[in-house]
Amino acid sequence: MGKTGIMGGTFDPIHCAHIRMARCAMEQKNLDRVLFMPSKNPPHKAGKNVSDEWLRARLVKLAIEDEEGFCFSDFELRRDGTTYTAKTLALLKKQCPEEELYFIMGGDSLFQFVHWYHPEEIAKYAVVLAVSRGSMAAGQMEGQAELLAARFQGNFELIQMEKMDVSSSLIREKLIKGEEVRGMLPKKVYEYIMENGCYGLDKE
């Protein structure tokens, strides 16, 4: 039996904060591995333009190929329809019943968790790890984690991480404007985007 972290997301594109979140979770909770699992049709992105899955998957693979313990998973990309976290975790648990699952998410999502699709199922199949990125008080997050643990009879734990002012939307915006994003992206991801003119960037 192992301890597997699930790092899901649109990853449009994957950036340095994603990598740091996963590393902090892995180190602080002694995880054996972290699966990076790009979403195919995430419900919170309905009606929004999301880059082709092949590009997002390619960038994830580049970002983690030299990171020990990080693995790419196309589990959600291979499924049809909207990919809900609750369904993903239920299927993973069915396939690997002895595996301990840890679902990694940003601290802001902790306060939206009750509105997710079947949050009780998520709490049933995985320990929820909320990563503080420095944008909210630790006490506020601890209180919310305790409320959710009581409501859903699950384990909600906090991961500490230094503040990083980076997001995929900010990176896309900067790329379109021609602004520098080198420090926000893993080196190989940055190079691929520059070389292939991704995200509206003109190839030189």
Side-chain angles (χ1 to χ4, degrees):
M1 179 173 66
K3 299 170 68 173
T4 297
I6 308 296
M7 186 77 182
T10 312
F11 299 126
D12 195 20
I14 188 169
H15 52 67
C16 290
H18 290 133
I19 301 299
R20 187 60 187 155
M21 283 173 63
R23 184 59 63 193
C24 287
M26 190 172 191
E27 292 175 351
Q28 293 174 35
K29 296 301 175 182
N30 296 313
L31 305 181
D32 295 301
R33 66 196 65 83
V34 174
L35 300 183
F36 279 74
M37 192 177 293
S39 302
K40 185 170 187 176
N41 296 307
H44 64 290
K45 297 291 184 178
K48 298 182 180 180
N49 290 326
V50 178
S51 299
D52 289 340
E53 61 187 59
W54 68 264
L55 172 62
R56 295 184 288 115
R58 174 62 177 155
L59 296 180
V60 170
K61 291 175 183 178
L62 286 172
I64 67 173
E65 64 181 6
D66 297 324
E67 297 281 349
E68 184 177 358
F70 290 180
C71 307
F72 173 80
S73 172
D74 64 353
F75 190 79
E76 288 201 337
L77 295 179
R78 289 186 283 107
R79 289 164 52 205
D80 295 326
T82 302
T83 48
Y84 293 103
T85 298
K87 291 184 177 180
T88 295
L89 293 175
L91 290 170
L92 286 173
K93 197 64 177 178
K94 184 176 181 180
Q95 289 186 7
C96 306
E98 299 302 317
E99 197 76 7
E100 293 182 36
L101 301 180
Y102 292 76
F103 181 72
I104 305 165
M105 66 182 186
D108 52 343
S109 295
L110 200 64
F111 296 86
Q112 301 298 322
F113 186 79
V114 296
H115 303 297
W116 286 28
Y117 179 85
H118 287 296
E120 74 283 354
E121 292 291 293
I122 299 174
K124 175 182 177 182
Y125 292 117
V127 176
V128 177
L129 301 181
V131 180
S132 171
R133 292 171 62 178
S135 59
M136 60 190 70
Q140 187 180 10
M141 287 187 63
E142 290 173 0
Q144 181 68 7
E146 291 175 0
L147 288 173
L148 293 174
R151 177 169 178 175
F152 297 110
Q153 300 298 301
N155 294 319
F156 292 77
E157 303 176 8
L158 304 184
I159 299 297
Q160 300 304 313
M161 174 180 150
E162 68 276 14
K163 184 177 181 180
M164 297 181 70
D165 293 323
V166 56
S167 68
S168 295
S169 59
L170 176 62
I171 290 170
R172 294 195 304 271
E173 181 180 322
K174 283 182 171 293
L175 285 169
I176 291 173
K177 293 180 178 179
E179 297 177 0
E180 184 58 65
V181 296
R182 186 187 302 269
M184 299 180 175
L185 297 165
K187 183 176 183 293
K188 291 183 180 180
V189 172
Y190 174 80
E191 291 173 348
Y192 186 93
I193 289 175
M194 293 298 112
E195 291 171 4
N196 293 277
C198 306
Y199 296 101
L201 186 69
D202 290 332
K203 292 178 65 177
E204 295 183 356

